């Protein structure tokens, strides 16, 4: 991944670094196709200052800074979604929200364990609303979760309530998962922290592409 | 996984627990197909004492205890290999050895990261001697590895020496990986600890079985 971002606002390298880090933590640092990583992932933000608008710590108007920060985050989120949807063999992008964690690291650990579970990812490939596999991944991630406090939503429907089966419309849940992009929400009942993590299904096409790749 | 082991030797429950734990740590606790876990994995060892041969701490002959321990480990290792080779869509079993780690936890972390990497597993499905994917998995596992001290072997051949490409017979390496069982060895150059970890490739058939599974 090589991301180059250009803007004509003005800010010091240090100020830009802070803005970029915040934007990436909401986007490019919260996505994964298969858990494997590249050795040369790079994000650069270059600001010319030509517009005369300052967005750094010395910016006169804090609203301008906030507006720029929101725009930068939106660009990074759009790029993240484009990268993920362009993944090898990807048929479904999942916008995974992990909510009610004790802290950000905990929320990320839960999100990554779900997002990298081969059983969860193959269920998504089949548009199968198999919430048991999601709950099993949450259960093995290392965080001392109380299953009776866990809620899971697929699209707009709750499919698991207090750690057990919830009455839901399976056809509707299947339809939600069959879309190119589907929202899945997992509430842990432990705290206030949330993360939004972009990931994908695991398809037979992914295996074909990567098994046939020649060294 | 439900494993029941029966023997006619004599030992206390506590003595059996120690023997069983040692045997499992060399076998059933060192295997993984896809990284997902079951909620009801169980291993039980029952001893009747009928033979009159004691193998516990109070055993008269330490050689008898060692012999029983070795036999128990061999049985558990055979079961582990049978379970792994019976995994969904598995075409190749990999006997992964991680050597020269600082400690057992470190060796296990490296082994699990390699064993659960989708890029590594799909390369194995294609019998592709792609050592770069193995090295990349080692590099992202969290242990501060010095790549220039890493050696990787496929079958009997060294394929990566001091972290860089080694001259090897690619056809021979491909043939080794095309066998039902293949040995892969990774040396970290950090310490004295080793683990042997049983794992598998990731095939399109695995995806089909688990994507078509109905809730």
């Amino acid at each position: 991944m090589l991301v180059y971002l250009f803007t004509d606002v003005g800010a010091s390298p240090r100020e830009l670094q802070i803005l970029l880090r915040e934007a990436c933590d909401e986007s490019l640092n919260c996505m994964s196709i298969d858990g494997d990583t590249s050795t040369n992932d790079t994000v650069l933000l270059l600001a010319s200052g030509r517009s005369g608008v300052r967005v750094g710590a010395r910016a006169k108007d804090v609203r301008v800074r906030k507006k720029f920060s929101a725009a930068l985050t939106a660009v990074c989120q759009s790029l993240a979604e484009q990268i993920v949807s362009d993944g090898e063999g990807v048929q479904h992008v999942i916008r995974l929200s992990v909510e009610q964690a004790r802290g950000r690291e905990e929320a990320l650990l839960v999100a990554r364990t779900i997002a990298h579970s081969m059983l969860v990812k193959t269920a998504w490939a089949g548009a199968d609303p198999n919430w048991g596999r999601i709950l099993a991944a949450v259960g093995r991630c290392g965080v001392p979760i109380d299953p009776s406090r866990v809620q899971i939503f697929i699209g707009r429907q709750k499919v698991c309530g207090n750690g057990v089966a919830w009455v839901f419309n399976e056809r509707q849940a299947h339809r939600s998962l069959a879309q190119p992009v589907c929202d899945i929400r997992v509430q842990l009942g432990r705290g206030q922290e949330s993360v939004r993590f972009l990931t994908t299904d695991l398809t037979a096409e992914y295996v074909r592409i990567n098994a046939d790749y020649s060294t």
Side-chain angles (χ1 to χ4, degrees), chain A residues 1-5 24 27-34 36 38 41-43 75-90 92-93 198-200:
Chain A
M1 184 189 77
L2 301 171
V3 173
Y4 304 103
L5 301 161
C24 286
S27 57
L28 299 159
N29 283 342
C30 278
M31 67 171 192
S32 182
I33 292 161
D34 55 14
D36 280 296
S38 167
D41 286 344
T42 303
V43 183
V75 167
C76 290
Q77 282 175 341
S78 168
L79 288 171
E81 205 156 312
Q82 290 174 59
I83 290 167
V84 164
S85 67
D86 195 38
E88 289 153 331
V90 168
H92 305 105
V93 169
L198 271 182
T199 188
T200 69

PDB file of all heavy atoms in Angstrom, chain A residues 1-5 24 27-34 36 38 41-43 75-90 92-93 198-200:
ATOM      1  N   MET A   1       0.833  -1.189   0.000  1.00  0.00           N
ATOM      2  CA  MET A   1       0.000   0.000   0.000  1.00  0.00           C
ATOM      3  C   MET A   1       0.873   1.246   0.000  1.00  0.00           C
ATOM      4  O   MET A   1       1.694   1.434   0.887  1.00  0.00           O
ATOM      5  CB  MET A   1      -0.893   0.005   1.239  1.00  0.00           C
ATOM      6  CG  MET A   1      -1.867   1.163   1.278  1.00  0.00           C
ATOM      7  SD  MET A   1      -2.716   1.258   2.875  1.00  0.00           S
ATOM      8  CE  MET A   1      -1.441   1.981   3.908  1.00  0.00           C
ATOM      9  N   LEU A   2       0.713   2.073  -1.000  1.00  0.00           N
ATOM     10  CA  LEU A   2       1.448   3.338  -1.067  1.00  0.00           C
ATOM     11  C   LEU A   2       0.424   4.453  -1.226  1.00  0.00           C
ATOM     12  O   LEU A   2      -0.199   4.590  -2.268  1.00  0.00           O
ATOM     13  CB  LEU A   2       2.414   3.322  -2.251  1.00  0.00           C
ATOM     14  CG  LEU A   2       3.463   2.193  -2.231  1.00  0.00           C
ATOM     15  CD1 LEU A   2       4.227   2.130  -3.550  1.00  0.00           C
ATOM     16  CD2 LEU A   2       4.435   2.371  -1.068  1.00  0.00           C
ATOM     17  N   VAL A   3       0.200   5.228  -0.159  1.00  0.00           N
ATOM     18  CA  VAL A   3      -0.820   6.289  -0.173  1.00  0.00           C
ATOM     19  C   VAL A   3      -0.133   7.652  -0.111  1.00  0.00           C
ATOM     20  O   VAL A   3       0.664   7.912   0.791  1.00  0.00           O
ATOM     21  CB  VAL A   3      -1.785   6.136   1.027  1.00  0.00           C
ATOM     22  CG1 VAL A   3      -2.738   7.328   1.103  1.00  0.00           C
ATOM     23  CG2 VAL A   3      -2.567   4.834   0.938  1.00  0.00           C
ATOM     24  N   TYR A   4      -0.416   8.513  -1.089  1.00  0.00           N
ATOM     25  CA  TYR A   4       0.129   9.866  -1.115  1.00  0.00           C
ATOM     26  C   TYR A   4      -1.021  10.856  -1.091  1.00  0.00           C
ATOM     27  O   TYR A   4      -1.881  10.819  -1.970  1.00  0.00           O
ATOM     28  CB  TYR A   4       0.961  10.079  -2.385  1.00  0.00           C
ATOM     29  CG  TYR A   4       2.060   9.056  -2.525  1.00  0.00           C
ATOM     30  CD1 TYR A   4       1.930   7.994  -3.424  1.00  0.00           C
ATOM     31  CD2 TYR A   4       3.208   9.126  -1.741  1.00  0.00           C
ATOM     32  CE1 TYR A   4       2.937   7.041  -3.532  1.00  0.00           C
ATOM     33  CE2 TYR A   4       4.214   8.188  -1.853  1.00  0.00           C
ATOM     34  CZ  TYR A   4       4.074   7.143  -2.755  1.00  0.00           C
ATOM     35  OH  TYR A   4       5.057   6.197  -2.862  1.00  0.00           O
ATOM     36  N   LEU A   5      -1.050  11.703  -0.085  1.00  0.00           N
ATOM     37  CA  LEU A   5      -2.131  12.677   0.076  1.00  0.00           C
ATOM     38  C   LEU A   5      -1.556  14.081  -0.080  1.00  0.00           C
ATOM     39  O   LEU A   5      -0.528  14.406   0.534  1.00  0.00           O
ATOM     40  CB  LEU A   5      -2.766  12.524   1.461  1.00  0.00           C
ATOM     41  CG  LEU A   5      -3.366  11.138   1.755  1.00  0.00           C
ATOM     42  CD1 LEU A   5      -3.546  10.938   3.257  1.00  0.00           C
ATOM     43  CD2 LEU A   5      -4.692  10.968   1.036  1.00  0.00           C
ATOM     44  N   CYS A  24      -5.630   8.085  10.114  1.00  0.00           N
ATOM     45  CA  CYS A  24      -5.277   6.686   9.818  1.00  0.00           C
ATOM     46  C   CYS A  24      -5.835   5.729  10.865  1.00  0.00           C
ATOM     47  O   CYS A  24      -6.234   4.609  10.533  1.00  0.00           O
ATOM     48  CB  CYS A  24      -3.761   6.517   9.725  1.00  0.00           C
ATOM     49  SG  CYS A  24      -3.094   7.200   8.208  1.00  0.00           S
ATOM     50  N   SER A  27      -9.116   4.573   9.969  1.00  0.00           N
ATOM     51  CA  SER A  27      -9.287   4.093   8.586  1.00  0.00           C
ATOM     52  C   SER A  27      -8.226   3.058   8.210  1.00  0.00           C
ATOM     53  O   SER A  27      -8.415   1.860   8.442  1.00  0.00           O
ATOM     54  CB  SER A  27      -9.240   5.279   7.626  1.00  0.00           C
ATOM     55  OG  SER A  27      -8.002   5.979   7.796  1.00  0.00           O
ATOM     56  N   LEU A  28      -7.082   3.527   7.694  1.00  0.00           N
ATOM     57  CA  LEU A  28      -6.075   2.617   7.149  1.00  0.00           C
ATOM     58  C   LEU A  28      -5.430   1.726   8.211  1.00  0.00           C
ATOM     59  O   LEU A  28      -4.965   0.634   7.899  1.00  0.00           O
ATOM     60  CB  LEU A  28      -5.002   3.421   6.398  1.00  0.00           C
ATOM     61  CG  LEU A  28      -5.553   4.223   5.197  1.00  0.00           C
ATOM     62  CD1 LEU A  28      -4.610   5.351   4.818  1.00  0.00           C
ATOM     63  CD2 LEU A  28      -5.822   3.315   4.006  1.00  0.00           C
ATOM     64  N   ASN A  29      -5.422   2.177   9.474  1.00  0.00           N
ATOM     65  CA  ASN A  29      -4.900   1.328  10.556  1.00  0.00           C
ATOM     66  C   ASN A  29      -5.954   0.385  11.120  1.00  0.00           C
ATOM     67  O   ASN A  29      -5.677  -0.363  12.061  1.00  0.00           O
ATOM     68  CB  ASN A  29      -4.328   2.193  11.693  1.00  0.00           C
ATOM     69  CG  ASN A  29      -2.962   2.755  11.350  1.00  0.00           C
ATOM     70  OD1 ASN A  29      -2.299   2.263  10.443  1.00  0.00           O
ATOM     71  ND2 ASN A  29      -2.536   3.783  12.071  1.00  0.00           N
ATOM     72  N   CYS A  30      -7.170   0.443  10.597  1.00  0.00           N
ATOM     73  CA  CYS A  30      -8.272  -0.403  11.066  1.00  0.00           C
ATOM     74  C   CYS A  30      -8.865  -1.181   9.908  1.00  0.00           C
ATOM     75  O   CYS A  30     -10.094  -1.171   9.717  1.00  0.00           O
ATOM     76  CB  CYS A  30      -9.346   0.438  11.737  1.00  0.00           C
ATOM     77  SG  CYS A  30      -8.954   0.825  13.437  1.00  0.00           S
ATOM     78  N   MET A  31      -8.026  -1.803   9.130  1.00  0.00           N
ATOM     79  CA  MET A  31      -8.537  -2.630   8.037  1.00  0.00           C
ATOM     80  C   MET A  31      -7.602  -3.807   7.849  1.00  0.00           C
ATOM     81  O   MET A  31      -6.414  -3.736   8.170  1.00  0.00           O
ATOM     82  CB  MET A  31      -8.627  -1.830   6.742  1.00  0.00           C
ATOM     83  CG  MET A  31      -7.288  -1.430   6.188  1.00  0.00           C
ATOM     84  SD  MET A  31      -7.456  -0.709   4.534  1.00  0.00           S
ATOM     85  CE  MET A  31      -5.746  -0.698   4.019  1.00  0.00           C
ATOM     86  N   SER A  32      -8.157  -4.907   7.370  1.00  0.00           N
ATOM     87  CA  SER A  32      -7.339  -6.085   7.107  1.00  0.00           C
ATOM     88  C   SER A  32      -8.106  -7.017   6.203  1.00  0.00           C
ATOM     89  O   SER A  32      -9.303  -7.251   6.406  1.00  0.00           O
ATOM     90  CB  SER A  32      -6.993  -6.790   8.412  1.00  0.00           C
ATOM     91  OG  SER A  32      -6.180  -7.895   8.137  1.00  0.00           O
ATOM     92  N   ILE A  33      -7.437  -7.535   5.199  1.00  0.00           N
ATOM     93  CA  ILE A  33      -8.078  -8.514   4.321  1.00  0.00           C
ATOM     94  C   ILE A  33      -7.850  -9.915   4.883  1.00  0.00           C
ATOM     95  O   ILE A  33      -8.791 -10.633   5.170  1.00  0.00           O
ATOM     96  CB  ILE A  33      -7.555  -8.367   2.868  1.00  0.00           C
ATOM     97  CG1 ILE A  33      -8.044  -7.026   2.311  1.00  0.00           C
ATOM     98  CG2 ILE A  33      -8.029  -9.527   2.000  1.00  0.00           C
ATOM     99  CD1 ILE A  33      -7.293  -6.512   1.127  1.00  0.00           C
ATOM    100  N   ASP A  34      -6.579 -10.291   5.091  1.00  0.00           N
ATOM    101  CA  ASP A  34      -6.291 -11.656   5.547  1.00  0.00           C
ATOM    102  C   ASP A  34      -5.373 -11.702   6.765  1.00  0.00           C
ATOM    103  O   ASP A  34      -5.000 -12.784   7.203  1.00  0.00           O
ATOM    104  CB  ASP A  34      -5.692 -12.485   4.399  1.00  0.00           C
ATOM    105  CG  ASP A  34      -4.449 -11.818   3.806  1.00  0.00           C
ATOM    106  OD1 ASP A  34      -3.915 -10.881   4.434  1.00  0.00           O
ATOM    107  OD2 ASP A  34      -4.023 -12.232   2.714  1.00  0.00           O
ATOM    108  N   ASP A  36      -2.331 -10.831   6.885  1.00  0.00           N
ATOM    109  CA  ASP A  36      -0.936 -10.714   6.476  1.00  0.00           C
ATOM    110  C   ASP A  36      -0.629  -9.253   6.163  1.00  0.00           C
ATOM    111  O   ASP A  36      -1.529  -8.468   5.852  1.00  0.00           O
ATOM    112  CB  ASP A  36      -0.651 -11.636   5.286  1.00  0.00           C
ATOM    113  CG  ASP A  36      -0.434 -13.076   5.752  1.00  0.00           C
ATOM    114  OD1 ASP A  36       0.546 -13.300   6.485  1.00  0.00           O
ATOM    115  OD2 ASP A  36      -1.255 -13.947   5.423  1.00  0.00           O
ATOM    116  N   SER A  38       2.205  -6.122   4.627  1.00  0.00           N
ATOM    117  CA  SER A  38       3.207  -5.797   3.632  1.00  0.00           C
ATOM    118  C   SER A  38       4.420  -5.212   4.330  1.00  0.00           C
ATOM    119  O   SER A  38       4.331  -4.684   5.436  1.00  0.00           O
ATOM    120  CB  SER A  38       2.630  -4.785   2.651  1.00  0.00           C
ATOM    121  OG  SER A  38       3.638  -4.230   1.863  1.00  0.00           O
ATOM    122  N   ASP A  41       4.159  -0.770   3.477  1.00  0.00           N
ATOM    123  CA  ASP A  41       2.976   0.091   3.580  1.00  0.00           C
ATOM    124  C   ASP A  41       3.401   1.497   3.974  1.00  0.00           C
ATOM    125  O   ASP A  41       4.165   1.683   4.923  1.00  0.00           O
ATOM    126  CB  ASP A  41       2.002  -0.447   4.635  1.00  0.00           C
ATOM    127  CG  ASP A  41       1.277  -1.688   4.136  1.00  0.00           C
ATOM    128  OD1 ASP A  41       1.292  -1.942   2.918  1.00  0.00           O
ATOM    129  OD2 ASP A  41       0.696  -2.391   4.978  1.00  0.00           O
ATOM    130  N   THR A  42       2.921   2.477   3.247  1.00  0.00           N
ATOM    131  CA  THR A  42       3.342   3.864   3.450  1.00  0.00           C
ATOM    132  C   THR A  42       2.160   4.809   3.260  1.00  0.00           C
ATOM    133  O   THR A  42       1.378   4.633   2.323  1.00  0.00           O
ATOM    134  CB  THR A  42       4.426   4.246   2.402  1.00  0.00           C
ATOM    135  OG1 THR A  42       5.511   3.338   2.531  1.00  0.00           O
ATOM    136  CG2 THR A  42       4.904   5.679   2.586  1.00  0.00           C
ATOM    137  N   VAL A  43       2.017   5.793   4.150  1.00  0.00           N
ATOM    138  CA  VAL A  43       1.059   6.880   3.954  1.00  0.00           C
ATOM    139  C   VAL A  43       1.807   8.198   4.133  1.00  0.00           C
ATOM    140  O   VAL A  43       2.441   8.409   5.168  1.00  0.00           O
ATOM    141  CB  VAL A  43      -0.100   6.822   4.969  1.00  0.00           C
ATOM    142  CG1 VAL A  43      -1.112   7.933   4.686  1.00  0.00           C
ATOM    143  CG2 VAL A  43      -0.788   5.468   4.961  1.00  0.00           C
ATOM    144  N   VAL A  75     -11.352  10.986   3.435  1.00  0.00           N
ATOM    145  CA  VAL A  75     -10.537  10.530   2.287  1.00  0.00           C
ATOM    146  C   VAL A  75      -9.863   9.190   2.623  1.00  0.00           C
ATOM    147  O   VAL A  75      -9.893   8.248   1.835  1.00  0.00           O
ATOM    148  CB  VAL A  75      -9.482  11.601   1.906  1.00  0.00           C
ATOM    149  CG1 VAL A  75      -8.445  11.029   0.944  1.00  0.00           C
ATOM    150  CG2 VAL A  75     -10.161  12.814   1.289  1.00  0.00           C
ATOM    151  N   CYS A  76      -9.274   9.109   3.826  1.00  0.00           N
ATOM    152  CA  CYS A  76      -8.581   7.880   4.233  1.00  0.00           C
ATOM    153  C   CYS A  76      -9.566   6.716   4.355  1.00  0.00           C
ATOM    154  O   CYS A  76      -9.234   5.578   4.007  1.00  0.00           O
ATOM    155  CB  CYS A  76      -7.841   8.087   5.549  1.00  0.00           C
ATOM    156  SG  CYS A  76      -6.411   9.168   5.383  1.00  0.00           S
ATOM    157  N   GLN A  77     -10.776   6.990   4.834  1.00  0.00           N
ATOM    158  CA  GLN A  77     -11.775   5.923   4.955  1.00  0.00           C
ATOM    159  C   GLN A  77     -12.221   5.444   3.574  1.00  0.00           C
ATOM    160  O   GLN A  77     -12.418   4.248   3.363  1.00  0.00           O
ATOM    161  CB  GLN A  77     -12.972   6.398   5.782  1.00  0.00           C
ATOM    162  CG  GLN A  77     -12.655   6.389   7.282  1.00  0.00           C
ATOM    163  CD  GLN A  77     -13.760   6.969   8.144  1.00  0.00           C
ATOM    164  OE1 GLN A  77     -14.630   7.691   7.659  1.00  0.00           O
ATOM    165  NE2 GLN A  77     -13.721   6.656   9.428  1.00  0.00           N
ATOM    166  N   SER A  78     -12.357   6.372   2.663  1.00  0.00           N
ATOM    167  CA  SER A  78     -12.733   5.991   1.305  1.00  0.00           C
ATOM    168  C   SER A  78     -11.645   5.130   0.670  1.00  0.00           C
ATOM    169  O   SER A  78     -11.919   4.093   0.055  1.00  0.00           O
ATOM    170  CB  SER A  78     -12.985   7.242   0.465  1.00  0.00           C
ATOM    171  OG  SER A  78     -13.075   6.902  -0.898  1.00  0.00           O
ATOM    172  N   LEU A  79     -10.385   5.539   0.858  1.00  0.00           N
ATOM    173  CA  LEU A  79      -9.268   4.752   0.322  1.00  0.00           C
ATOM    174  C   LEU A  79      -9.232   3.363   0.953  1.00  0.00           C
ATOM    175  O   LEU A  79      -9.032   2.360   0.265  1.00  0.00           O
ATOM    176  CB  LEU A  79      -7.934   5.474   0.576  1.00  0.00           C
ATOM    177  CG  LEU A  79      -7.685   6.722  -0.271  1.00  0.00           C
ATOM    178  CD1 LEU A  79      -6.443   7.463   0.225  1.00  0.00           C
ATOM    179  CD2 LEU A  79      -7.527   6.368  -1.752  1.00  0.00           C
ATOM    180  N   ALA A  80      -9.448   3.302   2.270  1.00  0.00           N
ATOM    181  CA  ALA A  80      -9.428   2.011   2.978  1.00  0.00           C
ATOM    182  C   ALA A  80     -10.492   1.082   2.407  1.00  0.00           C
ATOM    183  O   ALA A  80     -10.233  -0.099   2.145  1.00  0.00           O
ATOM    184  CB  ALA A  80      -9.649   2.227   4.476  1.00  0.00           C
ATOM    185  N   GLU A  81     -11.688   1.618   2.186  1.00  0.00           N
ATOM    186  CA  GLU A  81     -12.772   0.785   1.664  1.00  0.00           C
ATOM    187  C   GLU A  81     -12.463   0.338   0.228  1.00  0.00           C
ATOM    188  O   GLU A  81     -12.751  -0.798  -0.146  1.00  0.00           O
ATOM    189  CB  GLU A  81     -14.109   1.537   1.750  1.00  0.00           C
ATOM    190  CG  GLU A  81     -15.286   0.585   1.816  1.00  0.00           C
ATOM    191  CD  GLU A  81     -16.521   1.201   2.470  1.00  0.00           C
ATOM    192  OE1 GLU A  81     -16.388   1.809   3.559  1.00  0.00           O
ATOM    193  OE2 GLU A  81     -17.613   1.054   1.899  1.00  0.00           O
ATOM    194  N   GLN A  82     -11.841   1.218  -0.558  1.00  0.00           N
ATOM    195  CA  GLN A  82     -11.466   0.838  -1.923  1.00  0.00           C
ATOM    196  C   GLN A  82     -10.410  -0.269  -1.918  1.00  0.00           C
ATOM    197  O   GLN A  82     -10.470  -1.214  -2.703  1.00  0.00           O
ATOM    198  CB  GLN A  82     -10.938   2.053  -2.683  1.00  0.00           C
ATOM    199  CG  GLN A  82     -12.006   3.087  -3.019  1.00  0.00           C
ATOM    200  CD  GLN A  82     -11.412   4.347  -3.633  1.00  0.00           C
ATOM    201  OE1 GLN A  82     -10.758   4.295  -4.661  1.00  0.00           O
ATOM    202  NE2 GLN A  82     -11.604   5.476  -2.977  1.00  0.00           N
ATOM    203  N   ILE A  83      -9.423  -0.142  -0.999  1.00  0.00           N
ATOM    204  CA  ILE A  83      -8.352  -1.153  -0.927  1.00  0.00           C
ATOM    205  C   ILE A  83      -8.944  -2.505  -0.545  1.00  0.00           C
ATOM    206  O   ILE A  83      -8.665  -3.533  -1.161  1.00  0.00           O
ATOM    207  CB  ILE A  83      -7.277  -0.736   0.113  1.00  0.00           C
ATOM    208  CG1 ILE A  83      -6.488   0.464  -0.406  1.00  0.00           C
ATOM    209  CG2 ILE A  83      -6.345  -1.903   0.434  1.00  0.00           C
ATOM    210  CD1 ILE A  83      -5.627   1.139   0.651  1.00  0.00           C
ATOM    211  N   VAL A  84      -9.792  -2.500   0.489  1.00  0.00           N
ATOM    212  CA  VAL A  84     -10.356  -3.743   0.997  1.00  0.00           C
ATOM    213  C   VAL A  84     -11.270  -4.398  -0.046  1.00  0.00           C
ATOM    214  O   VAL A  84     -11.205  -5.613  -0.273  1.00  0.00           O
ATOM    215  CB  VAL A  84     -11.085  -3.479   2.334  1.00  0.00           C
ATOM    216  CG1 VAL A  84     -12.002  -4.610   2.703  1.00  0.00           C
ATOM    217  CG2 VAL A  84     -10.058  -3.264   3.445  1.00  0.00           C
ATOM    218  N   SER A  85     -12.091  -3.592  -0.716  1.00  0.00           N
ATOM    219  CA  SER A  85     -13.019  -4.180  -1.691  1.00  0.00           C
ATOM    220  C   SER A  85     -12.277  -4.686  -2.928  1.00  0.00           C
ATOM    221  O   SER A  85     -12.781  -5.517  -3.669  1.00  0.00           O
ATOM    222  CB  SER A  85     -14.110  -3.182  -2.079  1.00  0.00           C
ATOM    223  OG  SER A  85     -13.545  -2.115  -2.781  1.00  0.00           O
ATOM    224  N   ASP A  86     -11.030  -4.217  -3.101  1.00  0.00           N
ATOM    225  CA  ASP A  86     -10.206  -4.657  -4.226  1.00  0.00           C
ATOM    226  C   ASP A  86      -9.339  -5.864  -3.844  1.00  0.00           C
ATOM    227  O   ASP A  86      -8.498  -6.305  -4.615  1.00  0.00           O
ATOM    228  CB  ASP A  86      -9.312  -3.489  -4.669  1.00  0.00           C
ATOM    229  CG  ASP A  86      -8.700  -3.711  -6.035  1.00  0.00           C
ATOM    230  OD1 ASP A  86      -9.393  -4.265  -6.902  1.00  0.00           O
ATOM    231  OD2 ASP A  86      -7.525  -3.347  -6.218  1.00  0.00           O
ATOM    232  N   GLY A  87      -9.510  -6.407  -2.636  1.00  0.00           N
ATOM    233  CA  GLY A  87      -8.703  -7.540  -2.158  1.00  0.00           C
ATOM    234  C   GLY A  87      -8.910  -8.785  -3.015  1.00  0.00           C
ATOM    235  O   GLY A  87      -9.918  -8.916  -3.711  1.00  0.00           O
ATOM    236  N   GLU A  88      -7.942  -9.697  -2.928  1.00  0.00           N
ATOM    237  CA  GLU A  88      -7.970 -10.893  -3.775  1.00  0.00           C
ATOM    238  C   GLU A  88      -9.218 -11.741  -3.506  1.00  0.00           C
ATOM    239  O   GLU A  88      -9.432 -12.234  -2.397  1.00  0.00           O
ATOM    240  CB  GLU A  88      -6.709 -11.723  -3.516  1.00  0.00           C
ATOM    241  CG  GLU A  88      -5.462 -11.048  -4.090  1.00  0.00           C
ATOM    242  CD  GLU A  88      -4.193 -11.424  -3.354  1.00  0.00           C
ATOM    243  OE1 GLU A  88      -4.281 -11.723  -2.151  1.00  0.00           O
ATOM    244  OE2 GLU A  88      -3.130 -11.402  -3.996  1.00  0.00           O
ATOM    245  N   GLY A  89     -10.043 -11.897  -4.524  1.00  0.00           N
ATOM    246  CA  GLY A  89     -11.216 -12.769  -4.430  1.00  0.00           C
ATOM    247  C   GLY A  89     -12.340 -12.233  -3.562  1.00  0.00           C
ATOM    248  O   GLY A  89     -13.308 -12.947  -3.291  1.00  0.00           O
ATOM    249  N   VAL A  90     -12.227 -10.987  -3.102  1.00  0.00           N
ATOM    250  CA  VAL A  90     -13.222 -10.448  -2.156  1.00  0.00           C
ATOM    251  C   VAL A  90     -14.590 -10.300  -2.822  1.00  0.00           C
ATOM    252  O   VAL A  90     -14.709  -9.704  -3.888  1.00  0.00           O
ATOM    253  CB  VAL A  90     -12.761  -9.088  -1.595  1.00  0.00           C
ATOM    254  CG1 VAL A  90     -13.884  -8.372  -0.857  1.00  0.00           C
ATOM    255  CG2 VAL A  90     -11.560  -9.289  -0.688  1.00  0.00           C
ATOM    256  N   HIS A  92     -17.440  -9.789  -0.442  1.00  0.00           N
ATOM    257  CA  HIS A  92     -18.183  -8.988   0.531  1.00  0.00           C
ATOM    258  C   HIS A  92     -17.236  -8.219   1.431  1.00  0.00           C
ATOM    259  O   HIS A  92     -16.335  -8.805   2.032  1.00  0.00           O
ATOM    260  CB  HIS A  92     -19.058  -9.893   1.416  1.00  0.00           C
ATOM    261  CG  HIS A  92     -19.980 -10.772   0.640  1.00  0.00           C
ATOM    262  ND1 HIS A  92     -19.756 -12.122   0.485  1.00  0.00           N
ATOM    263  CD2 HIS A  92     -21.115 -10.498  -0.034  1.00  0.00           C
ATOM    264  CE1 HIS A  92     -20.725 -12.642  -0.255  1.00  0.00           C
ATOM    265  NE2 HIS A  92     -21.559 -11.685  -0.589  1.00  0.00           N
ATOM    266  N   VAL A  93     -17.469  -6.911   1.528  1.00  0.00           N
ATOM    267  CA  VAL A  93     -16.753  -6.086   2.498  1.00  0.00           C
ATOM    268  C   VAL A  93     -17.607  -6.031   3.761  1.00  0.00           C
ATOM    269  O   VAL A  93     -18.825  -5.861   3.688  1.00  0.00           O
ATOM    270  CB  VAL A  93     -16.518  -4.666   1.939  1.00  0.00           C
ATOM    271  CG1 VAL A  93     -16.017  -3.721   3.025  1.00  0.00           C
ATOM    272  CG2 VAL A  93     -15.532  -4.724   0.765  1.00  0.00           C
ATOM    273  N   LEU A 198     -12.557  -2.483   9.060  1.00  0.00           N
ATOM    274  CA  LEU A 198     -12.980  -2.924   7.723  1.00  0.00           C
ATOM    275  C   LEU A 198     -12.332  -4.256   7.392  1.00  0.00           C
ATOM    276  O   LEU A 198     -11.110  -4.395   7.497  1.00  0.00           O
ATOM    277  CB  LEU A 198     -12.525  -1.915   6.678  1.00  0.00           C
ATOM    278  CG  LEU A 198     -13.433  -0.753   6.332  1.00  0.00           C
ATOM    279  CD1 LEU A 198     -12.780   0.075   5.232  1.00  0.00           C
ATOM    280  CD2 LEU A 198     -14.805  -1.241   5.874  1.00  0.00           C
ATOM    281  N   THR A 199     -13.130  -5.223   6.961  1.00  0.00           N
ATOM    282  CA  THR A 199     -12.536  -6.498   6.577  1.00  0.00           C
ATOM    283  C   THR A 199     -13.366  -7.150   5.468  1.00  0.00           C
ATOM    284  O   THR A 199     -14.249  -6.494   4.905  1.00  0.00           O
ATOM    285  CB  THR A 199     -12.318  -7.416   7.800  1.00  0.00           C
ATOM    286  OG1 THR A 199     -11.567  -8.553   7.390  1.00  0.00           O
ATOM    287  CG2 THR A 199     -13.633  -7.854   8.421  1.00  0.00           C
ATOM    288  N   THR A 200     -13.065  -8.400   5.179  1.00  0.00           N
ATOM    289  CA  THR A 200     -13.675  -9.046   4.005  1.00  0.00           C
ATOM    290  C   THR A 200     -13.996 -10.504   4.292  1.00  0.00           C
ATOM    291  O   THR A 200     -13.596 -11.055   5.314  1.00  0.00           O
ATOM    292  CB  THR A 200     -12.681  -9.057   2.823  1.00  0.00           C
ATOM    293  OG1 THR A 200     -11.603  -9.952   3.146  1.00  0.00           O
ATOM    294  CG2 THR A 200     -12.119  -7.685   2.537  1.00  0.00           C
TER     295      THR A 200
END
